[in-house]
Amino acid sequence: MEESFLGKAVAKSRAKLPYWRRILDASLPVDLSYIPIGLACGILLNASGFNVWTTLMVSVMVFSGGAQFLIASLLATNSPMLSVILMMFFLELRYALLGSSLSKYLHGESLGFTALFAASMNDENYALNYLKFSTDKKFTPREALHVEHMTLAFWTVSNLIGSLIGSAINIDLTIVHFALTALFLYMIVMQLKNGLIIVICILSGFLAAFFMVITKSTLGLVLSTLTASFIGFMAEATIRKFNQRSRWLKSMKNPAGSPDDTDEDIND
């Protein structure tokens, strides 16, 4: 009874806050996490040849930390522009799936609003908005869009400050390779949901080495990504066709959880 009263009191106090303050409160966990990462990204971009203005452009136009670290790493190793574009394309394909899970909350919005919402969405504010939509019936698409813009502002400012810091100090470019490796290891771990995905991840590593030896360029990474994805798709489709309860498709518990897990816990 006391907890219910406190919850209502907190809700009323939040409703009295200015609109910008409510958006800041909703996005603050992501905003704060962006400061150190954004600073590091700005420093790496500067080390790869980006000045303050080009860092500003890439921060606003490519609102994805993974993509920006990828750009910094590939350009630092003099990779061809075609490889950079293709790698970014396949890296960012996941947003098609993320966006589709939020589309049910954006019914009735204009095409322009939806396009702007999609352009400013990334992994972190997606998870934030998904949780808010799932737990707060009064949370609106307009508020979700402004949450995205608030996180974008923190990320961009952090990038710019990092770029200024990078222009004032010398940095060893070998750290760029480490940053990208750590980033992709994190992304792989977050995707480990069953035994089949683990096998495909290992296979993609061998294919990457094989194709890079043949092509002698980072284009081999694109070829290995396409080949591993196709093999994984065909393997999963075949297994589901003949044995949907196969141990290869048995879900593993991800320690980081997921929005779907959160949604189920709330419903329970």
PDB file of all heavy atoms in Angstrom, residues 117-143:
ATOM      1  N   PHE A 117      12.541   9.475 -37.230  1.00  0.00           N
ATOM      2  CA  PHE A 117      12.687   8.571 -36.090  1.00  0.00           C
ATOM      3  C   PHE A 117      13.701   7.475 -36.421  1.00  0.00           C
ATOM      4  O   PHE A 117      14.576   7.153 -35.611  1.00  0.00           O
ATOM      5  CB  PHE A 117      11.328   7.948 -35.751  1.00  0.00           C
ATOM      6  CG  PHE A 117      11.319   7.136 -34.491  1.00  0.00           C
ATOM      7  CD1 PHE A 117      10.965   7.716 -33.281  1.00  0.00           C
ATOM      8  CD2 PHE A 117      11.651   5.791 -34.509  1.00  0.00           C
ATOM      9  CE1 PHE A 117      10.961   6.969 -32.110  1.00  0.00           C
ATOM     10  CE2 PHE A 117      11.647   5.035 -33.350  1.00  0.00           C
ATOM     11  CZ  PHE A 117      11.298   5.630 -32.142  1.00  0.00           C
ATOM     12  N   ALA A 118      13.593   6.909 -37.629  1.00  0.00           N
ATOM     13  CA  ALA A 118      14.499   5.836 -38.038  1.00  0.00           C
ATOM     14  C   ALA A 118      15.931   6.336 -38.184  1.00  0.00           C
ATOM     15  O   ALA A 118      16.885   5.638 -37.830  1.00  0.00           O
ATOM     16  CB  ALA A 118      14.018   5.227 -39.363  1.00  0.00           C
ATOM     17  N   ALA A 119      16.082   7.568 -38.692  1.00  0.00           N
ATOM     18  CA  ALA A 119      17.417   8.112 -38.928  1.00  0.00           C
ATOM     19  C   ALA A 119      18.167   8.391 -37.633  1.00  0.00           C
ATOM     20  O   ALA A 119      19.405   8.393 -37.619  1.00  0.00           O
ATOM     21  CB  ALA A 119      17.322   9.394 -39.753  1.00  0.00           C
ATOM     22  N   SER A 120      17.459   8.639 -36.541  1.00  0.00           N
ATOM     23  CA  SER A 120      18.115   8.972 -35.277  1.00  0.00           C
ATOM     24  C   SER A 120      18.064   7.829 -34.263  1.00  0.00           C
ATOM     25  O   SER A 120      18.375   8.018 -33.089  1.00  0.00           O
ATOM     26  CB  SER A 120      17.485  10.226 -34.662  1.00  0.00           C
ATOM     27  OG  SER A 120      16.075  10.107 -34.585  1.00  0.00           O
ATOM     28  N   MET A 121      17.693   6.626 -34.707  1.00  0.00           N
ATOM     29  CA  MET A 121      17.631   5.472 -33.812  1.00  0.00           C
ATOM     30  C   MET A 121      18.961   4.739 -33.800  1.00  0.00           C
ATOM     31  O   MET A 121      19.617   4.594 -34.830  1.00  0.00           O
ATOM     32  CB  MET A 121      16.522   4.516 -34.268  1.00  0.00           C
ATOM     33  CG  MET A 121      16.339   3.320 -33.336  1.00  0.00           C
ATOM     34  SD  MET A 121      15.099   2.149 -33.948  1.00  0.00           S
ATOM     35  CE  MET A 121      16.007   1.411 -35.305  1.00  0.00           C
ATOM     36  N   ASN A 122      19.372   4.286 -32.631  1.00  0.00           N
ATOM     37  CA  ASN A 122      20.519   3.386 -32.525  1.00  0.00           C
ATOM     38  C   ASN A 122      20.217   2.330 -31.466  1.00  0.00           C
ATOM     39  O   ASN A 122      19.109   2.275 -30.927  1.00  0.00           O
ATOM     40  CB  ASN A 122      21.809   4.162 -32.230  1.00  0.00           C
ATOM     41  CG  ASN A 122      21.810   4.765 -30.841  1.00  0.00           C
ATOM     42  OD1 ASN A 122      20.856   4.637 -30.080  1.00  0.00           O
ATOM     43  ND2 ASN A 122      22.894   5.434 -30.503  1.00  0.00           N
ATOM     44  N   ASP A 123      21.193   1.488 -31.161  1.00  0.00           N
ATOM     45  CA  ASP A 123      20.946   0.349 -30.273  1.00  0.00           C
ATOM     46  C   ASP A 123      20.478   0.793 -28.886  1.00  0.00           C
ATOM     47  O   ASP A 123      19.525   0.233 -28.336  1.00  0.00           O
ATOM     48  CB  ASP A 123      22.218  -0.494 -30.127  1.00  0.00           C
ATOM     49  CG  ASP A 123      22.682  -1.063 -31.452  1.00  0.00           C
ATOM     50  OD1 ASP A 123      23.440  -0.375 -32.161  1.00  0.00           O
ATOM     51  OD2 ASP A 123      22.287  -2.184 -31.778  1.00  0.00           O
ATOM     52  N   GLU A 124      21.167   1.793 -28.324  1.00  0.00           N
ATOM     53  CA  GLU A 124      20.883   2.183 -26.943  1.00  0.00           C
ATOM     54  C   GLU A 124      19.542   2.885 -26.795  1.00  0.00           C
ATOM     55  O   GLU A 124      18.742   2.528 -25.919  1.00  0.00           O
ATOM     56  CB  GLU A 124      22.012   3.092 -26.423  1.00  0.00           C
ATOM     57  CG  GLU A 124      23.352   2.405 -26.239  1.00  0.00           C
ATOM     58  CD  GLU A 124      24.099   2.222 -27.544  1.00  0.00           C
ATOM     59  OE1 GLU A 124      23.795   2.954 -28.517  1.00  0.00           O
ATOM     60  OE2 GLU A 124      24.978   1.336 -27.613  1.00  0.00           O
ATOM     61  N   ASN A 125      19.256   3.875 -27.651  1.00  0.00           N
ATOM     62  CA  ASN A 125      17.970   4.548 -27.480  1.00  0.00           C
ATOM     63  C   ASN A 125      16.809   3.666 -27.953  1.00  0.00           C
ATOM     64  O   ASN A 125      15.667   3.878 -27.545  1.00  0.00           O
ATOM     65  CB  ASN A 125      17.944   5.935 -28.135  1.00  0.00           C
ATOM     66  CG  ASN A 125      18.211   5.925 -29.621  1.00  0.00           C
ATOM     67  OD1 ASN A 125      17.681   5.097 -30.358  1.00  0.00           O
ATOM     68  ND2 ASN A 125      19.029   6.876 -30.085  1.00  0.00           N
ATOM     69  N   TYR A 126      17.112   2.670 -28.817  1.00  0.00           N
ATOM     70  CA  TYR A 126      16.073   1.685 -29.160  1.00  0.00           C
ATOM     71  C   TYR A 126      15.646   0.920 -27.908  1.00  0.00           C
ATOM     72  O   TYR A 126      14.449   0.789 -27.611  1.00  0.00           O
ATOM     73  CB  TYR A 126      16.585   0.703 -30.214  1.00  0.00           C
ATOM     74  CG  TYR A 126      15.837  -0.615 -30.196  1.00  0.00           C
ATOM     75  CD1 TYR A 126      14.583  -0.732 -30.792  1.00  0.00           C
ATOM     76  CD2 TYR A 126      16.367  -1.737 -29.545  1.00  0.00           C
ATOM     77  CE1 TYR A 126      13.870  -1.928 -30.745  1.00  0.00           C
ATOM     78  CE2 TYR A 126      15.673  -2.929 -29.502  1.00  0.00           C
ATOM     79  CZ  TYR A 126      14.425  -3.024 -30.105  1.00  0.00           C
ATOM     80  OH  TYR A 126      13.728  -4.201 -30.044  1.00  0.00           O
ATOM     81  N   ALA A 127      16.633   0.402 -27.163  1.00  0.00           N
ATOM     82  CA  ALA A 127      16.318  -0.363 -25.951  1.00  0.00           C
ATOM     83  C   ALA A 127      15.592   0.508 -24.932  1.00  0.00           C
ATOM     84  O   ALA A 127      14.643   0.067 -24.272  1.00  0.00           O
ATOM     85  CB  ALA A 127      17.597  -0.931 -25.355  1.00  0.00           C
ATOM     86  N   LEU A 128      16.021   1.764 -24.829  1.00  0.00           N
ATOM     87  CA  LEU A 128      15.401   2.699 -23.896  1.00  0.00           C
ATOM     88  C   LEU A 128      13.946   2.966 -24.264  1.00  0.00           C
ATOM     89  O   LEU A 128      13.041   2.886 -23.422  1.00  0.00           O
ATOM     90  CB  LEU A 128      16.193   4.009 -23.896  1.00  0.00           C
ATOM     91  CG  LEU A 128      15.996   4.971 -22.733  1.00  0.00           C
ATOM     92  CD1 LEU A 128      16.391   4.316 -21.423  1.00  0.00           C
ATOM     93  CD2 LEU A 128      16.830   6.228 -22.961  1.00  0.00           C
ATOM     94  N   ASN A 129      13.704   3.250 -25.545  1.00  0.00           N
ATOM     95  CA  ASN A 129      12.342   3.538 -25.991  1.00  0.00           C
ATOM     96  C   ASN A 129      11.451   2.301 -25.949  1.00  0.00           C
ATOM     97  O   ASN A 129      10.265   2.396 -25.622  1.00  0.00           O
ATOM     98  CB  ASN A 129      12.360   4.124 -27.403  1.00  0.00           C
ATOM     99  CG  ASN A 129      12.763   5.582 -27.416  1.00  0.00           C
ATOM    100  OD1 ASN A 129      12.537   6.308 -26.457  1.00  0.00           O
ATOM    101  ND2 ASN A 129      13.366   6.034 -28.503  1.00  0.00           N
ATOM    102  N   TYR A 130      12.015   1.152 -26.281  1.00  0.00           N
ATOM    103  CA  TYR A 130      11.221  -0.090 -26.222  1.00  0.00           C
ATOM    104  C   TYR A 130      10.744  -0.343 -24.794  1.00  0.00           C
ATOM    105  O   TYR A 130       9.580  -0.694 -24.558  1.00  0.00           O
ATOM    106  CB  TYR A 130      12.055  -1.268 -26.719  1.00  0.00           C
ATOM    107  CG  TYR A 130      11.258  -2.531 -26.952  1.00  0.00           C
ATOM    108  CD1 TYR A 130      10.860  -2.901 -28.234  1.00  0.00           C
ATOM    109  CD2 TYR A 130      10.888  -3.354 -25.890  1.00  0.00           C
ATOM    110  CE1 TYR A 130      10.118  -4.054 -28.448  1.00  0.00           C
ATOM    111  CE2 TYR A 130      10.146  -4.506 -26.098  1.00  0.00           C
ATOM    112  CZ  TYR A 130       9.766  -4.856 -27.378  1.00  0.00           C
ATOM    113  OH  TYR A 130       9.027  -5.994 -27.584  1.00  0.00           O
ATOM    114  N   LEU A 131      11.648  -0.140 -23.838  1.00  0.00           N
ATOM    115  CA  LEU A 131      11.284  -0.349 -22.440  1.00  0.00           C
ATOM    116  C   LEU A 131      10.227   0.657 -21.994  1.00  0.00           C
ATOM    117  O   LEU A 131       9.276   0.306 -21.293  1.00  0.00           O
ATOM    118  CB  LEU A 131      12.527  -0.238 -21.562  1.00  0.00           C
ATOM    119  CG  LEU A 131      12.316  -0.486 -20.060  1.00  0.00           C
ATOM    120  CD1 LEU A 131      11.795  -1.896 -19.817  1.00  0.00           C
ATOM    121  CD2 LEU A 131      13.616  -0.265 -19.307  1.00  0.00           C
ATOM    122  N   LYS A 132      10.382   1.920 -22.416  1.00  0.00           N
ATOM    123  CA  LYS A 132       9.409   2.943 -22.040  1.00  0.00           C
ATOM    124  C   LYS A 132       8.039   2.656 -22.645  1.00  0.00           C
ATOM    125  O   LYS A 132       7.013   2.779 -21.968  1.00  0.00           O
ATOM    126  CB  LYS A 132       9.898   4.322 -22.487  1.00  0.00           C
ATOM    127  CG  LYS A 132      11.088   4.848 -21.708  1.00  0.00           C
ATOM    128  CD  LYS A 132      10.721   5.185 -20.260  1.00  0.00           C
ATOM    129  CE  LYS A 132       9.821   6.391 -20.182  1.00  0.00           C
ATOM    130  NZ  LYS A 132       9.508   6.759 -18.772  1.00  0.00           N
ATOM    131  N   PHE A 133       8.005   2.274 -23.921  1.00  0.00           N
ATOM    132  CA  PHE A 133       6.733   1.941 -24.562  1.00  0.00           C
ATOM    133  C   PHE A 133       6.079   0.742 -23.874  1.00  0.00           C
ATOM    134  O   PHE A 133       4.855   0.664 -23.775  1.00  0.00           O
ATOM    135  CB  PHE A 133       6.949   1.616 -26.042  1.00  0.00           C
ATOM    136  CG  PHE A 133       7.008   2.835 -26.928  1.00  0.00           C
ATOM    137  CD1 PHE A 133       8.092   3.046 -27.771  1.00  0.00           C
ATOM    138  CD2 PHE A 133       5.979   3.753 -26.939  1.00  0.00           C
ATOM    139  CE1 PHE A 133       8.147   4.163 -28.598  1.00  0.00           C
ATOM    140  CE2 PHE A 133       6.019   4.877 -27.761  1.00  0.00           C
ATOM    141  CZ  PHE A 133       7.107   5.079 -28.590  1.00  0.00           C
ATOM    142  N   SER A 134       6.888  -0.211 -23.422  1.00  0.00           N
ATOM    143  CA  SER A 134       6.366  -1.436 -22.822  1.00  0.00           C
ATOM    144  C   SER A 134       5.848  -1.224 -21.408  1.00  0.00           C
ATOM    145  O   SER A 134       4.974  -1.965 -20.956  1.00  0.00           O
ATOM    146  CB  SER A 134       7.457  -2.523 -22.804  1.00  0.00           C
ATOM    147  OG  SER A 134       7.925  -2.798 -24.107  1.00  0.00           O
ATOM    148  N   THR A 135       6.391  -0.239 -20.717  1.00  0.00           N
ATOM    149  CA  THR A 135       6.048  -0.063 -19.301  1.00  0.00           C
ATOM    150  C   THR A 135       5.243   1.191 -18.996  1.00  0.00           C
ATOM    151  O   THR A 135       4.660   1.299 -17.922  1.00  0.00           O
ATOM    152  CB  THR A 135       7.341  -0.028 -18.453  1.00  0.00           C
ATOM    153  OG1 THR A 135       8.182   1.044 -18.903  1.00  0.00           O
ATOM    154  CG2 THR A 135       8.097  -1.345 -18.581  1.00  0.00           C
ATOM    155  N   ASP A 136       5.233   2.151 -19.921  1.00  0.00           N
ATOM    156  CA  ASP A 136       4.540   3.422 -19.677  1.00  0.00           C
ATOM    157  C   ASP A 136       3.533   3.675 -20.806  1.00  0.00           C
ATOM    158  O   ASP A 136       3.910   4.012 -21.924  1.00  0.00           O
ATOM    159  CB  ASP A 136       5.568   4.560 -19.604  1.00  0.00           C
ATOM    160  CG  ASP A 136       4.922   5.884 -19.201  1.00  0.00           C
ATOM    161  OD1 ASP A 136       3.681   5.943 -19.079  1.00  0.00           O
ATOM    162  OD2 ASP A 136       5.664   6.869 -19.017  1.00  0.00           O
ATOM    163  N   LYS A 137       2.259   3.520 -20.506  1.00  0.00           N
ATOM    164  CA  LYS A 137       1.222   3.685 -21.522  1.00  0.00           C
ATOM    165  C   LYS A 137       1.079   5.145 -21.972  1.00  0.00           C
ATOM    166  O   LYS A 137       0.521   5.405 -23.038  1.00  0.00           O
ATOM    167  CB  LYS A 137      -0.120   3.181 -20.977  1.00  0.00           C
ATOM    168  CG  LYS A 137      -0.149   1.676 -20.714  1.00  0.00           C
ATOM    169  CD  LYS A 137      -1.514   1.236 -20.217  1.00  0.00           C
ATOM    170  CE  LYS A 137      -1.534  -0.271 -19.987  1.00  0.00           C
ATOM    171  NZ  LYS A 137      -2.860  -0.738 -19.482  1.00  0.00           N
ATOM    172  N   LYS A 138       1.578   6.074 -21.181  1.00  0.00           N
ATOM    173  CA  LYS A 138       1.479   7.487 -21.539  1.00  0.00           C
ATOM    174  C   LYS A 138       2.675   7.968 -22.369  1.00  0.00           C
ATOM    175  O   LYS A 138       2.702   9.120 -22.798  1.00  0.00           O
ATOM    176  CB  LYS A 138       1.359   8.337 -20.277  1.00  0.00           C
ATOM    177  CG  LYS A 138       0.080   8.067 -19.487  1.00  0.00           C
ATOM    178  CD  LYS A 138      -0.009   8.977 -18.261  1.00  0.00           C
ATOM    179  CE  LYS A 138      -1.300   8.727 -17.489  1.00  0.00           C
ATOM    180  NZ  LYS A 138      -1.405   9.610 -16.290  1.00  0.00           N
ATOM    181  N   PHE A 139       3.641   7.109 -22.571  1.00  0.00           N
ATOM    182  CA  PHE A 139       4.825   7.469 -23.354  1.00  0.00           C
ATOM    183  C   PHE A 139       4.440   7.557 -24.831  1.00  0.00           C
ATOM    184  O   PHE A 139       3.842   6.636 -25.379  1.00  0.00           O
ATOM    185  CB  PHE A 139       5.919   6.431 -23.150  1.00  0.00           C
ATOM    186  CG  PHE A 139       7.260   6.836 -23.680  1.00  0.00           C
ATOM    187  CD1 PHE A 139       7.961   7.875 -23.094  1.00  0.00           C
ATOM    188  CD2 PHE A 139       7.830   6.166 -24.754  1.00  0.00           C
ATOM    189  CE1 PHE A 139       9.217   8.246 -23.568  1.00  0.00           C
ATOM    190  CE2 PHE A 139       9.077   6.533 -25.239  1.00  0.00           C
ATOM    191  CZ  PHE A 139       9.779   7.568 -24.647  1.00  0.00           C
ATOM    192  N   THR A 140       4.753   8.669 -25.469  1.00  0.00           N
ATOM    193  CA  THR A 140       4.296   8.930 -26.836  1.00  0.00           C
ATOM    194  C   THR A 140       5.438   8.833 -27.839  1.00  0.00           C
ATOM    195  O   THR A 140       6.621   8.957 -27.468  1.00  0.00           O
ATOM    196  CB  THR A 140       3.676  10.329 -26.936  1.00  0.00           C
ATOM    197  OG1 THR A 140       4.709  11.316 -26.690  1.00  0.00           O
ATOM    198  CG2 THR A 140       2.556  10.494 -25.920  1.00  0.00           C
ATOM    199  N   PRO A 141       5.126   8.619 -29.132  1.00  0.00           N
ATOM    200  CA  PRO A 141       6.168   8.624 -30.168  1.00  0.00           C
ATOM    201  C   PRO A 141       6.957   9.925 -30.209  1.00  0.00           C
ATOM    202  O   PRO A 141       8.157   9.917 -30.485  1.00  0.00           O
ATOM    203  CB  PRO A 141       5.369   8.414 -31.458  1.00  0.00           C
ATOM    204  CG  PRO A 141       4.150   7.668 -31.038  1.00  0.00           C
ATOM    205  CD  PRO A 141       3.814   8.214 -29.684  1.00  0.00           C
ATOM    206  N   ARG A 142       6.289  11.042 -29.924  1.00  0.00           N
ATOM    207  CA  ARG A 142       6.988  12.337 -29.900  1.00  0.00           C
ATOM    208  C   ARG A 142       8.052  12.353 -28.812  1.00  0.00           C
ATOM    209  O   ARG A 142       9.181  12.835 -29.026  1.00  0.00           O
ATOM    210  CB  ARG A 142       5.974  13.459 -29.662  1.00  0.00           C
ATOM    211  CG  ARG A 142       6.586  14.851 -29.534  1.00  0.00           C
ATOM    212  CD  ARG A 142       5.486  15.901 -29.504  1.00  0.00           C
ATOM    213  NE  ARG A 142       6.002  17.232 -29.193  1.00  0.00           N
ATOM    214  CZ  ARG A 142       6.030  17.754 -27.980  1.00  0.00           C
ATOM    215  NH1 ARG A 142       5.548  17.050 -26.952  1.00  0.00           N
ATOM    216  NH2 ARG A 142       6.507  18.963 -27.771  1.00  0.00           N
ATOM    217  N   GLU A 143       7.723  11.828 -27.649  1.00  0.00           N
ATOM    218  CA  GLU A 143       8.705  11.753 -26.566  1.00  0.00           C
ATOM    219  C   GLU A 143       9.843  10.807 -26.933  1.00  0.00           C
ATOM    220  O   GLU A 143      11.013  11.081 -26.639  1.00  0.00           O
ATOM    221  CB  GLU A 143       8.032  11.295 -25.278  1.00  0.00           C
ATOM    222  CG  GLU A 143       7.081  12.325 -24.683  1.00  0.00           C
ATOM    223  CD  GLU A 143       6.352  11.808 -23.459  1.00  0.00           C
ATOM    224  OE1 GLU A 143       5.884  10.647 -23.502  1.00  0.00           O
ATOM    225  OE2 GLU A 143       6.255  12.544 -22.463  1.00  0.00           O
TER     226      GLU A 143
END
